[in-house]
Amino acid sequence: LCNEAFDIQINDLTLDTGSGNPGAVGLHYICSNTGGIKNVTIRSGDGQGVIGLDMKHYGQGPSLVKGVTVIGFDCGLWTKRELYQNVFEDIRLENQRVVGLLNQGLPVSIRKLVSKNKVQAIRNEGGQMVLVDADLSGGDPATAAIMNGASMYLSNCSAKGYKALLENKGTLVQGSVIKEWFSDEWQTLFPTAKRSLGLPVKETPDLPYEPLTSWESVGAHAAKVVNGDWGPAIQAAIDSGKSTVYFPRGKVSGYTIRTPVI
């Protein structure tokens, strides 16, 4: 039980569990404080499998999961626990056999979730869920797309094929489109309208990593360190003209600066 899975990055990858593997988990993932998953597809060859993206481990988050597609499995995405928080963006869930997304306690914020499922798209059994710009289609007309049993905020969400978009704590909320809805009473210090400010949501930025030939290591200039002062070495790395300057990890206990660095 720890919260020390720092900077776990999984990017630009496809995971295929093949066929005849009903006990398979596509990816069991934990990340603490920084890191995330980006542009990853997790698929089952025959639709079988327990979980596509398993995020039930203790100590989950904060991290950003963006551009992830899960195809097949009993459950597409499973989150759990009551601590920390995770952010999801541009998530696509297809052809799950039991539920698209199951949350059992983790506070989650989700933007641009697309679900194409006959089964229930989302089941929120615990924790606080914020869901923005969700498109949930292909569902069973006998059930709601979302079953909420905890705290939830919805904005600009729609469902197609289902009985309704939302069932909240056993009560069906009529309609297949919700512009804004919240499960719990808002608390406010002032008599303002109980709704969001409606501010535009900016896209999360992409960090373009440059080729390593454009990187310069501060450690390459260690000969310039005088009496523990890394200032001259850092200045030399900056003056090298390379566009990315980095500090090697683990080679020194720290980088003390006593002289000005421009």
Side-chain angles (χ1 to χ4, degrees):
L1 297 179
C2 67
N3 182 231
E4 298 179 356
F6 303 131
D7 199 28
I8 306 300
Q9 299 272 358
I10 300 177
N11 300 332
D12 306 312
L13 183 69
T14 294
L15 300 170
D16 193 320
T17 59
S19 300
N21 298 305
V25 171
L27 174 61
H28 181 185
Y29 178 76
I30 176 174
C31 180
S32 311
N33 300 336
T34 180
I37 305 174
K38 182 179 178 182
N39 299 335
V40 169
T41 296
I42 305 169
R43 65 193 182 202
S44 166
D46 59 2
Q48 297 188 77
V50 181
I51 310 170
L53 178 53
D54 181 348
M55 297 179 64
K56 299 195 275 58
H57 197 284
Y58 172 83
Q60 193 66 247
S63 65
L64 172 64
V65 178
K66 180 177 181 179
V68 172
T69 296
V70 181
I71 303 171
F73 302 94
D74 292 343
C75 176
L77 169 60
W78 194 338
T79 55
K80 197 174 181 180
R81 311 294 178 179
E82 294 76 27
L83 296 176
Y84 313 116
Q85 192 263 358
N86 228 85
V87 176
F88 298 86
E89 190 170 47
D90 296 322
I91 306 298
R92 189 177 185 91
L93 305 175
E94 296 183 12
N95 300 328
Q96 275 73 59
R97 293 147 50 105
V98 177
V99 64
L101 186 160
L102 173 60
N103 182 47
Q104 295 179 313
L106 184 69
V108 293
S109 299
I110 308 170
R111 177 174 175 252
K112 291 186 178 179
L113 170 67
V114 173
S115 172
K116 293 186 177 296
N117 274 298
K118 292 182 179 180
V119 298
Q120 205 158 50
I122 298 172
R123 193 179 303 157
N124 186 40
E125 296 181 353
Q128 184 183 64
M129 178 178 290
V130 174
L131 185 66
V132 178
D133 297 337
D135 181 4
L136 316 175
S137 65
D140 184 347
T143 187
I146 302 172
M147 189 284 291
N148 178 54
S151 177
M152 177 174 279
Y153 171 82
L154 303 178
S155 175
N156 192 31
C157 298
S158 63
K160 297 176 184 177
Y162 292 95
K163 184 177 182 180
L165 174 65
L166 174 66
E167 178 185 315
N168 180 53
K169 300 174 182 176
T171 300
L172 195 70
V173 177
Q174 297 294 330
S176 59
V177 177
I178 290 180
K179 289 300 181 183
E180 187 173 45
W181 178 91
F182 45 94
S183 61
D184 301 284
E185 182 65 20
W186 287 21
Q187 304 299 321
T188 176
L189 296 174
F190 308 101
T192 55
K194 294 183 178 180
R195 61 175 183 268
S196 72
L197 296 176
L199 300 176
V201 179
K202 294 184 178 181
E203 297 294 332
T204 51
D206 287 324
L207 177 62
Y209 287 99
E210 297 177 303
L212 294 182
T213 53
S214 298
W215 291 40
E216 183 72 9
S217 169
V218 170
H221 303 276
K224 295 183 180 295
V225 177
V226 179
N227 297 326
D229 178 16
W230 278 85
I234 297 171
Q235 188 67 66
I238 293 173
D239 293 344
S240 70
K242 298 294 180 66
S243 53
T244 297
V245 172
Y246 71 96
F247 294 77
R249 180 180 178 183
K251 292 188 176 182
V252 297
S253 59
Y255 293 90
T256 300
I257 302 174
R258 295 192 178 92
T259 54
V261 173
I262 300 174

